[in-house]
Amino acid sequence: MADLRLIHGFHAVTARLRQRSDSVHEIYVQADRRDQRARDLLKQAEQQGVRVIMVDGKRLDGLAGGNRHQGVAARVDASQRVQHLEDVLDTLEDVPLLLVLDGVTDPHNLGACLRSADAFGVHAVIAPKDRAVGINATVEKVACGAAETVPYITVTNLARTLKELQERGIWVVGAAGEATTSLNEFRHTGPLAWVLGAEGEGLRRLTRETCDELVKIPMMGSVESLNVSVSTGICLFETRRQRAA
């Protein structure tokens, strides 16, 4: 059974058309948009055989729930996403690199984390089903297509999932300001799962205790912590830098 929901914004809709056009049921385009970007989208939809409905701005505002939609939205089937972590891990040929988000509730942060995950070749993003934002239209828009390319897997028990990763030989590393090991001192070359905590709260106690190791990002200024999406980008960049070297 299809799980239909709405996504909006040019990046989110065009990425879905490009990568999973069979999941796009229909596209809504603001009738007075006649610029090149809109024309390209209409052409792409026609090539993929996707129905396009021209609507006025007021209706599009209502469909998008007041969010900035850029004159385009689409109704898509969200049931086709990768559902199980095993589906990813059992088919990997590269050294695993995973991102675990412990209770990220801000959709802009999740979207930005997904963009970093896509940029640095993360094989899957893992998050708890509860106390987390999940993939919604805002996340898709901020992710600029990364929500379609990076498997996003929700789990019931995060600590148990971390232990399952450890049983597979994946080193589970949490980012924490109070850690004694610095990011550039830590060796990133083996199978790795980065664990980053929620905005303001950091890692939960059980998550922290389950990690194999805690690592801190060196801070030289007066601020005590960084936004979770910024921290994600820094940690993933350093991992890829070391692996490339």
Side-chain angles (χ1 to χ4, degrees):
M1 183 177 178
D3 175 18
L4 295 181
R5 62 185 179 83
L6 199 82
I7 63 175
H8 54 76
F10 273 97
H11 278 301
V13 174
T14 54
R16 177 63 72 109
L17 262 180
R18 184 174 62 251
Q19 293 152 10
R20 293 166 58 198
S21 62
D22 59 326
S23 71
V24 182
H25 283 237
E26 55 195 17
I27 297 173
Y28 303 90
V29 178
Q30 193 166 319
D32 58 4
R33 288 231 36 174
R34 297 183 176 88
D35 54 279
Q36 187 61 49
R37 202 175 189 189
R39 290 197 298 269
D40 289 344
L41 175 62
L42 293 174
K43 183 179 179 181
Q44 187 178 359
E46 181 182 6
Q47 291 172 343
Q48 299 290 353
V50 177
R51 180 189 180 200
V52 175
I53 303 173
M54 307 303 292
V55 298
D56 60 30
K58 191 171 183 180
R59 184 183 177 193
L60 206 49
D61 290 341
L63 287 170
N67 293 301
R68 292 183 59 189
H69 49 69
Q70 300 176 304
V72 60
R75 201 171 299 280
V76 302
D77 182 2
S79 63
Q80 298 182 25
R81 293 184 181 277
V82 175
Q83 299 294 322
H84 304 289
L85 184 58
E86 292 79 6
D87 296 337
V88 176
L89 296 178
D90 290 345
T91 57
L92 279 185
E93 297 180 359
D94 299 330
V95 178
L97 176 59
L98 305 172
L99 173 62
V100 182
L101 299 174
D102 185 16
V104 172
T105 57
D106 185 297
H108 293 87
N109 274 334
L110 176 55
C113 286
L114 286 168
R115 288 183 71 175
S116 292
D118 176 84
F120 296 113
V122 168
H123 298 111
V125 175
I126 303 165
K129 289 183 178 178
D130 300 324
R131 295 183 59 186
V133 62
I135 302 292
N136 60 27
T138 300
V139 172
E140 294 242 17
K141 185 171 183 292
V142 175
C144 293
E148 309 304 328
T149 59
V150 182
Y152 181 79
I153 298 167
T154 56
V155 297
T156 303
N157 188 314
L158 189 61
R160 183 169 63 224
T161 299
L162 295 180
K163 291 177 181 177
E164 291 171 355
L165 293 178
Q166 291 166 332
E167 290 171 0
R168 283 177 171 262
I170 297 174
W171 199 249
V172 177
V173 182
E178 73 277 12
T180 56
T181 301
S182 175
L183 178 68
N184 46 21
E185 297 170 343
F186 173 67
R187 297 298 95 196
H188 300 243
T189 52
L192 180 61
W194 272 111
V195 188
L196 286 96
E199 307 86 6
E201 300 177 11
L203 300 175
R204 288 178 291 176
R205 180 186 58 81
L206 185 55
T207 303
R208 184 189 306 265
E209 292 175 354
T210 307
C211 290
D212 292 304
E213 190 168 356
L214 297 178
V215 171
K216 66 179 178 181
I217 297 173
M219 305 284 286
M220 301 178 66
S222 58
V223 297
E224 295 181 356
S225 63
L226 296 170
N227 176 283
V228 62
S229 61
V230 174
S231 297
T232 293
I234 293 171
C235 292
L236 294 177
F237 171 81
E238 179 61 17
T239 296
R240 283 303 180 190
R241 187 194 69 79
Q242 288 195 22
R243 287 186 177 186

